[in-house]
Amino acid sequence: MEINKKAQDSPSLMESRLAPLLLFGHGEAGDKFLYSIPSRRQLTAAAAAFVDLIGHYSWITPRGWVLTLQPAGRRGGGDAPAEAFLRDPFSSRRVPLPPPDEEISGLAAKALGGGDDDAAWCVLSHDAADPRSVVVVVHPTEPVLFYCRPGPGDSAGRRRWLRHEYQPEAIIAPANHDDDDDLDAVVIESMGWLTASGGKLFADLELSGKMATLEFSPSPATPTLASAPLAMVPCPAWCNHWNSSLVDSRGELFVVHFRNSLLCQRTVLLVQVHLLDSTRRAWVKADGLGSNRVFLVTSQFGVSMAADEAGLEENCIYFTKSDDKGLYVYDVGQGTTALYDPGEDIPDSMEPILLMPVS
């Protein structure tokens, strides 16, 4: 395991060249640690600033933007109105959003208490500057989506947050579902991993052999949620299924599977990468990630970046594991995995969150 020295100088939050970053201790009492993946060093003084920037009421999106929902009264006294905005964590840039209503504000207030069960999911269909962009928040325990177009909203109520309640049985027919599991819970959990690709949002209901697709075109007022059969990627008999992550890479949709040992749940024996063939409605084994591409996969989401811009090795998957501080690097071409230690002073079981440069 490689030990990385701490940075001697504290970087400015403006230095997005140090990203992607791993933030340790977010939402926990005690010390906070920030680790630059490209430079392989800790950024000691900047960790507290990032923790303050990304409070419990914020959600990091795969595009790097941080959605902040501030319930009424959170800022400067009890009369402050609720507000919402997207923020670039590496600069002072903000994109205003319509003020949240009581229901979506309640999600933010509930999340202040912490806990995975309260972790609403946020995703952008396009970059925030794109006029087609829709901001989507997935309710963590109910079949409900909240969504809006970026923009401040006005006195006439335009550009407001909208609410859409979907029917889980329309995505997975009860006849095609294992009665041992609650159908609603299975669908809601899968929707919590919505991934944007090519202007659409996808959720892989892998164990049910379905792919859900969410579209907001031509109008965000009429979202379309549908599902279609999609064959599962076979798991070798000598492995367990650990987890998987959808990754959008330049408009193409990949899935990365991590397979663990039957004897040790923490040991990853196999990493599989497949590309979606939309015509055949099937996953096709990928020989690589594409020219100059690198994937980063955590328990939050999976993302693709240009390797040279990120300062990382191309055709590699950088990933973290649950309750594990380690940074793992899987070389797709070689089939080998390296492990890096982000710092001896970071507790072994402290899992990080990923901070991405805005795209």
Side-chain angles (χ1 to χ4, degrees):
M1 180 179 288
E2 180 175 326
I3 303 299
N4 301 281
K5 295 181 180 180
K6 295 182 181 179
Q8 298 300 315
D9 299 318
S10 300
S12 164
L13 294 185
M14 297 292 289
E15 295 187 82
S16 59
R17 63 178 177 81
L18 294 170
L21 303 174
L22 296 179
L23 177 60
F24 295 85
H26 170 66
E28 301 177 8
D31 293 333
K32 316 296 180 184
F33 307 91
L34 195 66
Y35 176 78
S36 168
I37 298 178
S39 63
R40 294 182 186 169
R41 58 176 181 165
Q42 275 193 46
L43 310 175
T44 53
F50 269 100
V51 170
D52 180 66
L53 181 73
I54 306 168
H56 288 283
Y57 46 76
S58 296
W59 293 275
I60 302 167
T61 73
R63 295 185 182 276
W65 292 99
V66 178
L67 170 67
T68 297
L69 298 177
Q70 293 188 340
R74 289 289 300 174
R75 296 174 294 108
D79 296 332
E83 69 171 341
F85 51 87
L86 297 171
R87 177 164 40 185
D88 179 351
F90 296 95
S91 73
S92 59
R93 285 192 299 161
R94 289 190 181 190
V95 176
L97 299 176
D101 61 17
E102 291 185 5
E103 187 173 15
I104 196 170
S105 292
L107 278 183
K110 187 177 182 181
L112 289 170
D116 292 339
D117 293 340
D118 300 326
W121 174 255
C122 178
V123 63
L124 279 69
S125 64
H126 301 76
D127 181 68
D130 193 310
R132 299 169 295 175
S133 183
V134 179
V135 182
V136 183
V137 174
V138 182
H139 198 291
T141 57
E142 298 177 13
V144 173
L145 307 172
F146 304 93
Y147 57 97
C148 71
R149 297 279 192 189
D154 59 21
S155 58
R158 290 184 291 268
R159 286 197 181 275
R160 68 184 189 278
W161 285 92
L162 300 173
R163 185 183 193 275
H164 176 70
E165 184 170 348
Y166 58 91
Q167 303 299 319
E169 60 270 20
I171 301 174
I172 301 179
N176 298 327
H177 180 69
D178 187 345
D179 292 336
D180 292 339
D181 297 320
D182 180 69
L183 183 146
D184 284 12
V186 169
V187 174
I188 292 168
E189 181 179 4
S190 297
M191 292 295 290
W193 296 93
L194 277 175
T195 300
S197 182
K200 301 178 182 179
L201 300 174
F202 296 89
D204 188 5
L205 294 89
E206 181 188 11
L207 298 181
S208 299
K210 297 277 189 178
M211 175 73 84
T213 305
L214 179 66
E215 295 186 71
F216 290 90
S217 179
S219 168
T222 54
T224 301
L225 179 59
S227 66
L230 182 66
M232 295 173 56
V233 175
C235 182
W238 41 270
C239 287
N240 280 335
H241 175 262
W242 173 41
N243 68 7
S244 61
S245 179
L246 296 180
V247 179
D248 169 66
S249 185
R250 296 181 289 194
E252 293 187 305
L253 191 63
F254 289 77
V255 64
V256 180
H257 286 282
F258 299 94
R259 312 293 193 180
N260 60 16
S261 167
L262 291 170
L263 301 177
C264 179
Q265 296 292 320
R266 299 182 63 83
T267 302
V268 177
L269 295 182
L270 179 65
V271 180
Q272 297 175 302
V273 185
H274 288 75
L275 174 65
L276 180 63
D277 185 327
S278 57
T279 302
R280 295 163 51 190
R281 299 298 304 175
W283 292 113
V284 179
K285 183 179 179 181
D287 295 328
L289 307 183
S291 175
N292 191 34
R293 302 312 292 179
V294 60
F295 288 2
L296 297 102
V297 180
T298 70
S299 59
Q300 301 161 264
F301 44 69
V303 295
S304 168
M305 297 183 68
D308 57 356
E309 293 179 6
L312 303 176
E313 294 293 328
E314 72 172 304
N315 208 33
C316 286
I317 300 172
Y318 290 69
F319 67 96
T320 61
K321 300 194 299 186
S322 177
D323 301 322
D324 188 336
K325 72 175 180 179
L327 173 65
Y328 298 81
V329 183
Y330 175 74
D331 187 311
V332 178
Q334 299 295 324
T336 57
T337 302
L339 170 60
Y340 298 96
D341 185 346
E344 291 181 319
D345 48 350
I346 301 176
D348 290 343
S349 61
M350 184 177 282
E351 181 182 357
I353 62 173
L354 180 65
L355 299 174
M356 296 290 299
V358 163
S359 64

